[in-house]
Amino acid sequence: MRFCDPLKNNCRKIWKLRELFLSLRTQIKLLSLADKYLRRQITTIPAREMEKTFCHETNYRSIDLSSWVKVGEGGNGSTYEASDQPDIILKLNNSRYNDLKSVKEEFDVSDAVARLGLSTPAMIEIVKVGDAYATISQRIKDKKSLSRICHDQPERIGEMAGILVSHLKLLETTPCDTSFFPDRKQIVLSALRDAGFIRKKVRDFLIDTVESLPDVTTCSHGDFQTGNIIIADGKSYFIDLGRFAYGHPMFDIAHLYLVCVVYSKMKKTCDIFHMTREQLLQLWDAFATGYTGHADHTAFDRQVTALAGADVIMRNAYVAPSLLEKIFFRFQVHNLFKQL
């Protein structure tokens, strides 16, 4: 201690840094052990038993993709077309979402959304592609996503933001089938309560923010962004409906904010949406202005920022995150919290 006396303040700082390092190392070890345990529990269920549990149908047609051409790629999967079958399109999700349960849920949800009167490509069948499952649906000829239009004609970004506004207002005024679809609010709250990898103070704040939203029974897309609305011959369609639910429109708005403002800092996001960060920020500005009716939407952005942190965590309700993803999500959520 004598040696440290002349440098008492520096010693204290070094000691605090050491304690912080040890605390972080312990948290990472615990997260790693929990991650291994959860994966072990999931993988102990045989694939055949999973199929029996989630679906009674087992005779799915097998498709050889060698004769199909990839025509699109997004954050959750890729789409393919076959030259001899021009009226259909095959969608193969990424490995985390191409099990039978996930694919059948997406298939059934799309059918249910169509029954609500919302335009979406008609689902035709579920097929097998190797060990994975995929959907075949109606092909909308000459379609373009809002993302692709923004890329090809950047002068129309403001117009595409207006289409986003009108489609969100359509969702928030369409009554949802609450006997079939889940409650978005409860999905988010459940994910937040299970998110032990973020600080309790931050988690409690997000839970309070979500609970403060009014309970509504109108439609919520769950992945509301420019890639999931397509246009053909002047008609628009909602696609990628696997997370459809009923709930407050702010959940969808928070997701759009996350894409345009937060995740647009990453090159991968810009590649997926075919836009630069500047264009995505321009899109958000035009959307927020159109939705609120005010050019100054600073207060609106602040409210959305709080819910964007909850949207980061909501993803965990659909797929168990890896250790690295937990670290990434923790960073994003805490960074958003600091902005409030």
Side-chain angles (χ1 to χ4, degrees), residues 26-141:
T26 301
Q27 287 185 47
I28 290 173
K29 284 182 178 179
L30 290 172
L31 285 172
S32 180
L33 288 171
D35 187 60
K36 289 178 181 177
Y37 172 77
L38 286 172
R39 290 179 183 279
R40 207 162 47 236
Q41 296 303 306
I42 292 171
T43 54
T44 55
I45 304 175
R48 188 176 299 276
E49 290 302 313
M50 290 282 281
E51 290 187 14
K52 288 180 181 178
T53 302
F54 298 120
C55 182
H56 298 297
E57 305 171 72
T58 55
N59 297 321
Y60 294 102
R61 184 163 64 99
S62 292
I63 295 289
D64 180 3
L65 276 187
S66 61
S67 60
W68 294 66
V69 178
K70 183 189 287 190
V71 294
E73 186 170 8
N76 293 331
S78 302
T79 52
Y80 298 81
E81 292 178 358
S83 58
D84 60 338
Q85 301 178 75
D87 296 324
I88 63 173
I89 193 164
L90 182 147
K91 180 189 175 188
L92 177 63
N93 289 336
N94 296 334
S95 57
R96 281 189 166 185
Y97 306 99
N98 63 23
D99 59 284
L100 180 58
K101 175 181 179 291
S102 299
V103 172
K104 191 169 190 313
E105 280 181 354
E106 185 174 353
F107 186 96
D108 292 342
V109 163
S110 294
D111 272 352
V113 169
R115 291 196 296 272
L116 296 174
L118 298 172
S119 295
T120 183
M123 283 290 182
I124 297 172
E125 66 173 318
I126 297 173
V127 296
K128 288 201 71 174
V129 179
D131 293 329
Y133 292 86
T135 59
I136 287 182
S137 61
Q138 170 194 8
R139 178 182 171 231
I140 308 299
K141 296 178 182 178

Side-chain angles (χ1 to χ4, degrees), residues 173-198:
T173 55
T174 300
C176 197
D177 179 359
T178 58
S179 65
F180 178 87
F181 291 100
D183 182 344
R184 174 80 63 218
K185 189 175 188 177
Q186 294 308 314
I187 291 173
V188 177
L189 288 173
S190 177
L192 285 170
R193 289 171 182 137
D194 290 341
F197 53 89
I198 59 175

Side-chain angles (χ1 to χ4, degrees), residues 194-210:
D194 290 341
F197 53 89
I198 59 175
R199 286 164 48 200
K200 185 178 185 301
K201 177 182 177 181
V202 177
R203 187 167 67 251
D204 289 347
F205 169 80
L206 293 176
I207 289 172
D208 289 344
T209 301
V210 170

Side-chain angles (χ1 to χ4, degrees), residues 7 12 22 31 43 49-50 59 75 102-103 107 116 141 143 145 162 213-214 227 240 264 278 289 334:
L7 304 171
R12 286 174 180 165
L22 291 174
L31 285 172
T43 54
E49 290 302 313
M50 290 282 281
N59 297 321
S102 299
V103 172
F107 186 96
L116 296 174
K141 296 178 182 178
K143 57 87 177 173
S145 68
L213 289 176
D240 286 351
S264 63
E278 290 71 25
T289 298
H334 288 188

